[in-house]
């Protein structure tokens, strides 16, 4: 029977990582509101250029993901995230001061570069503090920063754009990241052994449990060997397709809603927040039962399939019934977010610590590539067809393929999860 581990880790660390990722996501997602609220008109941004600008963030994210994650794994996640907070806050504020598209292109790309290591660094950080029986929930509380931020950001950004304009929105929403950097630096430790707020016995218990888990995982010699594994390659493709749907949705939902008859930007903000309420509930429930049952695959692919069907339903409804189409979009949003906790728990459970960080970065970088394609192509399809039908079909197909690849990639459960069976027997 595993020893009960210090609950203080949850109270101390989870609020900190949640706030940190929330601030990162704030600077990423408010761009869609700026476009819907007059930025395109003020800077003479064409439909094609708005698609490129919305997706450029993810291109910078893709290219610099792995170097940043390797630094976090081998050096310090704490230091890397500290400087990222400061730099992305400055870049977000600079977005509100630009007067030409060329400079905006540079800022959007650099914002992606600065943020690229944050997600994998956070996952590496949590894997050093929480065991596999806790990890899906820990990851979920991190990633909850995504839908929770969009929830309140949608309302706040709608009001800021409506009352002060899009420039003030970027400046006001960029400042908190810079301030929070110093709280982050003071409050966290990279390693359990350095935490002064745990007793020596508490630290020893956590480190012992984490070491036992590593011993039950089949060794992988280096990153090159890890990157060639069939499961890693398939998960890269799976996450890329999943991200097509997620970020096509996140970037363009405000524009989709704002195009409805008699819609204003403030109402758009309120309605855009609704899918993320469902997402928060579904993420918490999914991660709880995934950790309780120690099952991962079964809590991933069914939700992706539901998301695919909901997007297809929105296509079938079209513009004939706005509210039915909106309800289906809410379902799609909730279903796409639900599996994040179990998904990121998988990687640290099938790969040893010496390569897990690089594998997380590789998979997440392909997610960034999918995000780039989703944000760009959904905007492109909306602009060229003057309808959302094609983008609904595109996101639906991407999520369907992601669900299918999940089943294929994780079908050899007895090979992938021997350590989970051991853990279950321990309980």
């Amino acid at each position: 029977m595993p020893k009960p581990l210090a609950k203080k880790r949850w109270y101390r660390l989870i609020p900190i990582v949640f706030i940190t990722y929330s601030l990162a996501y704030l600077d990423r997602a408010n761009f869609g509101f700026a476009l819907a609220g007059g930025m395109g008109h003020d800077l003479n941004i064409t439909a094609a250029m708005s698609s490129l600008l919305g997706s450029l963030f993810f291109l910078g994210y893709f290219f610099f993901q792995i170097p940043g994650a390797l630094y976090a794994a081998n050096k310090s996640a704490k230091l890397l995230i500290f400087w990222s907070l400061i730099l992305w806050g400055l870049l977000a504020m600079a977005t509100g001061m630009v007067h030409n598209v060329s400079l905006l292109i540079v800022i959007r790309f650099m914002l992606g570069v600065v943020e690229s290591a944050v997600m994998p660094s956070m996952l590496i950080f949590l894997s050093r503090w929480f065991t596999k029986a806790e990890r899906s929930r820990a990851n979920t509380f991190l990633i909850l920063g995504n839908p929770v931020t969009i929830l309140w950001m949608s309302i706040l950004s709608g009001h800021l754009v409506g009352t002060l304009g899009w420039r003030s929105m970027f400046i006001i929403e960029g400042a908190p990241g810079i301030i929070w950097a110093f709280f982050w630096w003071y409050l966290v430790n990279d390693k359990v052994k350095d935490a002064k707020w745990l007793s020596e016995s508490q630290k020893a218990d956590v480190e012992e449990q984490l070491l036992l888990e590593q011993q039950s995982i089949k060794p992988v010699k280096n990153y090159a060997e890890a990157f060639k594994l069939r499961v890693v390659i398939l998960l890269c493709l799976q996450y890329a397709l999943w991200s097509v749907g997620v970020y096509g949705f996140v970037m363009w939902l405000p524009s989709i809603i704002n195009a409805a008859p008699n819609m204003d930007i403030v109402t758009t903000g309120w309605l855009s927040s609704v899918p993320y309420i469902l997402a928060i509930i579904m993420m918490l429930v999914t991660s709880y039962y995934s950790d309780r049952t120690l099952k991962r695959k079964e809590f991933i692919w069914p939700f992706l399939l539901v998301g695919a069907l909901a997007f297809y339903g929105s296509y079938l409804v079209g513009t004939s019934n706005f509210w039915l189409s909106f309800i289906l979009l809410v379902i799609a949003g909730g279903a796409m977010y639900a599996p994040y906790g179990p998904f990121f728990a998988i990687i640290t459970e099938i790969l040893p610590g010496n390569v897990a960080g690089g594998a997380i970065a590789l998979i997440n970088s392909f997610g960034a590539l999918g995000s780039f394609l989703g944000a760009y192509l959904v905007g492109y399809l909306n602009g060229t067809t003057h309808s959302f039908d094609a983008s609904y079909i595109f996101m639906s197909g991407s999520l369907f393929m992601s669900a299918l690849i999940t089943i294929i990639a994780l079908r050899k459960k007895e090979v992938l999860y021997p350590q989970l069976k051991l853990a279950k027997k321990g309980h």
Side-chain angles (χ1 to χ4, degrees), residues 193-379:
K193 67 179 183 180
D194 298 325
K196 295 179 181 179
W197 42 274
L198 289 177
S199 69
E200 293 302 318
S201 63
Q202 288 173 328
K203 289 189 276 191
D205 289 345
V206 174
E207 290 181 323
E208 179 185 358
Q209 183 63 28
L210 292 171
L211 182 61
L212 284 172
E213 291 175 6
Q214 286 296 303
Q215 291 173 350
S216 70
I217 300 175
K218 182 181 177 181
V220 177
K221 185 168 58 177
N222 52 38
Y223 290 115
E225 185 176 314
F227 292 172
K228 292 177 186 175
L229 291 174
R230 169 185 171 277
V231 66
V232 173
I233 295 170
L234 286 174
L235 288 178
C236 285
L237 180 58
Q238 184 266 13
Y239 194 50
L241 289 165
W242 181 0
S243 298
V244 165
V246 171
Y247 285 97
F249 179 84
V250 168
M251 287 299 300
W252 297 105
L253 181 64
S255 296
I256 290 171
I257 294 174
N258 201 50
N262 303 315
M263 188 66 63
D264 59 74
I265 192 66
V266 175
T267 306
T268 295
W270 281 97
L271 290 178
S272 295
S273 71
V274 176
Y276 303 103
I277 298 174
L278 180 62
I280 292 164
I281 296 168
M282 292 178 71
M283 286 177 74
L284 289 170
V285 173
T286 301
S287 64
Y288 173 80
Y289 283 103
S290 178
D291 274 349
R292 187 170 181 177
T293 61
L294 292 175
K295 293 180 179 180
R296 306 304 188 202
K297 180 181 71 174
E298 294 83 354
F299 288 94
I300 300 173
W301 72 263
F303 289 106
L304 299 179
L305 181 60
V306 168
L309 294 174
F311 275 129
Y312 187 69
S314 291
Y315 158 73
L316 293 178
V317 172
T319 57
S320 63
N321 189 325
F322 169 78
W323 290 109
L324 178 57
S325 179
F326 175 70
I327 289 169
L328 288 168
L329 289 176
V330 170
I331 294 170
M336 285 190 295
Y337 275 96
Y340 271 119
F343 178 77
F344 281 109
I346 288 171
I347 304 159
T348 53
E349 293 170 356
I350 64 177
L351 293 174
N354 66 309
V355 296
I360 288 171
L362 182 69
I363 292 168
N364 209 42
S365 68
F366 273 83
L369 186 61
S371 303
F372 171 81
L373 293 173
Y376 179 76
L377 290 176
V378 168

Side-chain angles (χ1 to χ4, degrees), residues 45-284:
I45 299 172
T46 64
M49 180 56 71
S50 68
S51 297
L52 179 62
L53 287 167
S55 57
L56 260 179
F57 169 92
F58 301 106
L59 202 56
Y61 203 88
F62 172 73
F63 283 116
F64 291 90
Q65 182 105 174
I66 293 177
L70 295 184
Y71 180 88
N74 299 317
K75 299 288 185 181
S76 172
K78 175 180 174 178
L79 181 62
L80 185 63
I81 292 170
F82 171 77
W83 284 110
S84 294
L85 278 161
I86 292 174
L87 291 173
W88 83 50
L90 290 172
L91 287 166
M93 294 177 74
T95 306
M97 303 174 190
V98 297
H99 290 276
N100 66 80
V101 175
S102 299
L103 184 56
L104 185 57
I105 289 172
V106 174
I107 291 173
R108 289 293 296 171
F109 180 79
M110 290 305 301
L111 192 60
V113 171
V114 169
E115 280 194 37
S116 62
V118 174
M119 177 67 164
S121 296
M122 283 292 196
L123 292 167
I124 293 165
F125 176 82
L126 290 174
S127 73
R128 292 172 174 170
W129 281 92
F130 296 94
T131 66
K132 64 176 171 285
E134 305 168 316
R135 207 163 287 149
S136 178
R137 282 167 292 160
N139 291 344
T140 291
F141 280 113
L142 163 67
I143 302 166
L144 271 175
N146 174 326
V148 170
T149 299
I150 300 179
L151 173 61
W152 64 261
M153 181 275 296
S154 296
I155 299 168
L156 176 63
S157 295
H159 280 283
L160 287 176
V161 172
T163 56
L164 301 176
W166 61 269
R167 292 186 182 279
S168 295
M169 178 198 71
F170 279 120
I171 294 169
I172 291 170
E173 293 181 353
I178 301 170
I179 298 168
W180 181 252
F182 297 94
F183 286 91
W184 164 266
W185 183 259
Y186 176 76
L187 292 171
V188 304
N189 304 98
D190 272 311
K191 297 177 181 178
V192 176
K193 67 179 183 180
D194 298 325
K196 295 179 181 179
W197 42 274
L198 289 177
S199 69
E200 293 302 318
S201 63
Q202 288 173 328
K203 289 189 276 191
D205 289 345
V206 174
E207 290 181 323
E208 179 185 358
Q209 183 63 28
L210 292 171
L211 182 61
L212 284 172
E213 291 175 6
Q214 286 296 303
Q215 291 173 350
S216 70
I217 300 175
K218 182 181 177 181
V220 177
K221 185 168 58 177
N222 52 38
Y223 290 115
E225 185 176 314
F227 292 172
K228 292 177 186 175
L229 291 174
R230 169 185 171 277
V231 66
V232 173
I233 295 170
L234 286 174
L235 288 178
C236 285
L237 180 58
Q238 184 266 13
Y239 194 50
L241 289 165
W242 181 0
S243 298
V244 165
V246 171
Y247 285 97
F249 179 84
V250 168
M251 287 299 300
W252 297 105
L253 181 64
S255 296
I256 290 171
I257 294 174
N258 201 50
N262 303 315
M263 188 66 63
D264 59 74
I265 192 66
V266 175
T267 306
T268 295
W270 281 97
L271 290 178
S272 295
S273 71
V274 176
Y276 303 103
I277 298 174
L278 180 62
I280 292 164
I281 296 168
M282 292 178 71
M283 286 177 74
L284 289 170

